[in-house]
Amino acid sequence: MESSAKDINQPLLESKSPSITTNPHGSTSDELENILSDIMIPFSRRMWIATRIELKLLFKLAAPAVVVYMTNYLMSMSTNISCGQLGNLELAAASLGTTGIQLFAYGLMFGYIVKSEKCKYTWRGFSAQAFTGLPAFFKLSAASAVMLCLETWYFQLLVLLAGLLENPQLTLDSLSICLSIVGWAFMTTVGFNAAASVRVANELGSRHPKSAAFSVIIVNSVSLIISIIIAIIVFALRDVISYAFTEGEEVAAAVSDLCPLLAITIILNSVQPVLSGVAVGCGWQAFVAYVNVGCYYLVGIPLGVLLGFYFNLGAKVEASLKRLDRWEREDKKPLLS
């Protein structure tokens, strides 16, 4: 009974003792946990060494994902931008063409996996073993799918609500440009989302709680710094950034007025996806789905409707039109009166 009581009072995750050496393969994860646990090393030096180790592990996972996501999104966005300068029909054709190319690319990757010598042992044909563990997998994947769908539907719902404001054409044009910029910046945090999920899951699975907690701090800090840099660039180019999408001066003025809010959105978006990745690494997909429902649909959408329709903050577009008219009148004034 005494041993059972002792077992119950033991922590679920124990940190490795500093005296424990790394494994024969020289696992960097073990090294990170040992450094964080070694109180004999000064705190500042301990944090510096741990940060270097964590950044090396993090960027090995995040850098390829960020490059792929941002390149893929930028190619799709640039194609739509170029064709959008020609007309609506060309833009629709480009959207369909981009979708077809992506499906073709996925087909090539699947063919590579099936035929590659490196991957031949991962697929030996379809069998009944494919259904092994399927309920548990479906439980995790369904929660993740709901979590991502709630985020995507939220942005689509914003577009629908924007169409109900005054001057809907200009509102939708300016909002579409802002969402495109946010989406491109969001690809950075998506890459860190995947890296955070893998790092936290690996460290918790290796019984390294200090390394897992330290990884959460580092990945959020890096994502926040990068997003702040992107937000500063967007804000500095607020008067000209919309001309990459359209030549309309009215849209440019509206986007310029929205850029301060756009910069804040980019910064705030740097934390939420990373924390979602941490939750996935901990197996909390269902919890994140509930949080998304509460934040997006019980707080975000009602607050947006209240500010946009009741307080007329959606009239920012009208303010940009008045500013543009004022500029035009000033330009028409004679130099010598």
Side-chain angles (χ1 to χ4, degrees):
M1 293 295 293
E2 293 181 358
S3 61
S4 300
K6 291 182 179 179
D7 293 338
I8 294 175
N9 293 326
Q10 293 297 321
L12 293 176
L13 293 175
E14 296 180 353
S15 178
K16 282 182 175 290
S17 172
S19 61
I20 297 178
T21 57
T22 58
N23 59 32
H25 300 287
S27 172
T28 310
S29 179
D30 288 344
E31 180 184 1
L32 177 61
E33 186 71 12
N34 289 332
I35 290 173
L36 292 172
S37 302
D38 192 352
I39 60 175
M40 301 302 295
I41 303 176
F43 178 78
S44 59
R45 178 170 174 77
R46 192 160 74 239
M47 291 298 101
W48 170 249
I49 297 174
T51 300
R52 287 193 304 171
I53 296 174
E54 179 59 34
L55 287 176
K56 184 178 179 181
L57 289 170
L58 177 63
F59 279 99
K60 280 185 178 180
L61 296 170
V66 171
V67 170
V68 170
Y69 289 141
M70 294 190 73
T71 302
N72 187 27
Y73 191 87
L74 183 60
M75 291 178 63
S76 301
M77 189 172 68
S78 60
T79 302
N80 292 336
I81 290 172
S82 300
C83 295
Q85 303 290 336
L86 302 177
N88 294 332
L89 182 60
E90 289 80 1
L91 179 60
S95 300
L96 291 175
T98 302
T99 303
I101 292 174
Q102 289 177 344
L103 292 175
F104 179 69
Y106 296 150
L108 286 178
M109 288 188 289
F110 179 74
Y112 175 80
I113 293 173
V114 173
K115 297 297 182 181
S116 174
E117 290 293 326
K118 296 180 179 180
C119 304
K120 65 180 180 180
Y121 295 109
T122 62
W123 175 259
R124 298 188 173 219
F126 184 79
S127 66
Q129 292 181 347
F131 298 98
T132 303
L134 188 60
F137 173 78
F138 179 78
K139 182 180 179 180
L140 291 175
S141 60
S144 298
V146 171
M147 178 180 67
L148 294 176
C149 287
L150 289 174
E151 296 181 12
T152 304
W153 294 340
Y154 170 76
F155 288 106
Q156 294 176 350
L157 187 57
L158 285 181
V159 175
L160 293 176
L161 291 175
L164 301 177
L165 295 172
E166 297 181 8
N167 200 341
Q169 182 176 356
L170 183 57
T171 303
L172 288 174
D173 287 342
S174 58
L175 183 62
S176 298
I177 293 174
C178 291
L179 289 180
S180 296
I181 297 172
V182 169
W184 184 70
F186 186 72
M187 294 299 104
T188 303
T189 57
V190 169
F192 285 104
N193 170 289
S197 176
V198 174
R199 288 289 298 124
V200 171
N202 286 347
E203 296 298 346
L204 291 179
S206 300
R207 299 177 63 84
H208 295 157
K210 291 185 178 180
S211 297
F214 188 74
S215 177
V216 173
I217 296 173
I218 295 298
V219 69
N220 276 284
S221 300
V222 172
S223 179
L224 180 62
I225 292 172
I226 294 176
S227 296
I228 289 175
I229 295 173
I230 295 175
I232 292 174
I233 294 174
V234 169
F235 185 76
L237 301 176
R238 62 187 181 277
D239 293 329
V240 297
I241 195 170
S242 64
Y243 288 108
F245 298 84
T246 180
E247 297 180 356
E249 294 183 357
E250 295 180 353
V251 177
V255 173
S256 179
D257 283 342
L258 291 172
C259 269
L261 297 176
L262 177 63
I264 296 174
T265 301
I266 292 174
I267 294 174
L268 294 179
N269 261 350
S270 66
V271 178
Q272 186 268 340
V274 176
L275 293 180
S276 295
V278 173
V280 170
C282 296
W284 298 340
Q285 291 93 329
F287 172 75
V288 176
Y290 292 133
V291 171
N292 285 349
V293 170
C295 293
Y296 286 132
Y297 296 94
L298 300 182
V299 178
I301 293 296
L303 183 61
V305 171
L306 184 66
L307 295 176
F309 293 95
Y310 184 78
F311 290 101
N312 291 325
L313 292 184
K316 236 177 167 9
V317 172
E318 298 297 329
S320 65
L321 288 176
K322 293 179 180 178
R323 186 180 65 175
L324 187 61
D325 292 338
R326 186 176 67 254
W327 288 348
E328 291 178 352
R329 289 194 300 270
E330 291 176 355
D331 291 339
K332 292 178 181 180
K333 289 182 179 178
L335 295 178
L336 296 175
S337 56

